[in-house]
Amino acid sequence: TTGRHNQPRLMPRHEAPLLVVEWATDGRRSLRRRAEPGRAADTLRPEGPDLRARRAPSSPARHLLLTGATGGLGRSLLPRLLQRSSGRITCLVRAPDEAAAVARLPRHPRVSALRGDLAAPRLGLSPSDWRALNEHIDGVVHGGARVNLLAPAESLWATNVDGTRRVLELFT
């Protein structure tokens, strides 16, 4: 045996899924996969939530949801969001309990932790927490992702793709 079965497989660019959130001038958003050369566009459009019910906000967000606040990107996003906005920021944090979620974030009067999981239905939230987010959040910064360059793409799908859909479903 040559040991090739242990080598990571690099995905050619034409095989890599690229998710795009489009913001049209009429305020309608949609989730789609960009068509790559040699692939039919209809096979690359996963079902996504219909987001036409909400319009783009005309004023700065008063209450943001930040995903990925404890990750590499989120650790730099949270301080910037605090500097550039005056609203509350609720951070979705994967943790075993609420106390552990709070402990993973810096203390700030405008920051709150909400234990959840991008890979879980309704982001791992109770029905009442899901409704509260739907009613009160008027902006999302989605920086959460599972990153593992050696993992097969399928193992990352639940968090990275389905998790993005779930975040978008908050607005339906």
Side-chain angles (χ1 to χ4, degrees):
T1 153
T2 64
R4 286 184 167 215
H5 64 283
N6 292 329
Q7 298 296 319
R9 179 181 171 267
L10 296 178
M11 186 176 288
R13 178 169 162 67
H14 70 277
E15 287 184 23
L18 175 59
L19 290 176
V20 178
V21 177
E22 298 177 318
W23 187 262
T25 56
D26 67 354
R28 195 179 84 219
R29 288 183 274 181
S30 64
L31 178 66
R32 68 175 175 87
R33 230 191 266 182
R34 182 179 294 159
E36 296 289 342
R39 291 189 162 201
D42 60 343
T43 64
L44 297 174
R45 292 182 183 231
E47 291 297 317
D50 181 3
L51 301 174
R52 290 175 286 189
R54 293 223 179 153
R55 295 285 177 186
S58 58
S59 62
R62 294 181 314 263
H63 194 165
L64 286 173
L65 172 66
L66 173 62
T67 67
T70 60
L73 176 63
R75 283 192 300 264
S76 65
L77 282 175
L78 183 56
R80 289 178 185 181
L81 289 171
L82 287 168
Q83 286 177 340
R84 295 178 181 172
S85 72
S86 59
R88 295 187 40 76
I89 301 171
T90 296
C91 300
L92 187 73
V93 179
R94 190 178 57 222
D97 56 46
E98 205 67 36
V102 170
R104 294 188 69 193
L105 294 174
R107 294 186 191 274
H108 192 281
R110 293 187 306 145
V111 174
S112 60
L114 181 61
R115 186 178 71 85
D117 185 350
L118 290 171
R122 276 192 334 262
L123 302 174
L125 303 175
S126 69
S128 62
D129 283 343
W130 178 264
R131 274 192 306 278
L133 276 183
N134 183 277
E135 292 170 6
H136 301 303
I137 296 295
D138 53 3
V140 171
V141 178
H142 180 42
R146 183 166 172 233
V147 180
N148 183 336
L149 298 177
L150 299 178
E154 297 80 23
S155 71
L156 307 175
W157 193 269
T159 299
N160 298 346
V161 177
D162 293 337
T164 299
R165 282 194 188 115
R166 290 179 184 109
V167 169
L168 292 171
E169 286 169 357
L170 279 170
F171 293 95
T172 58

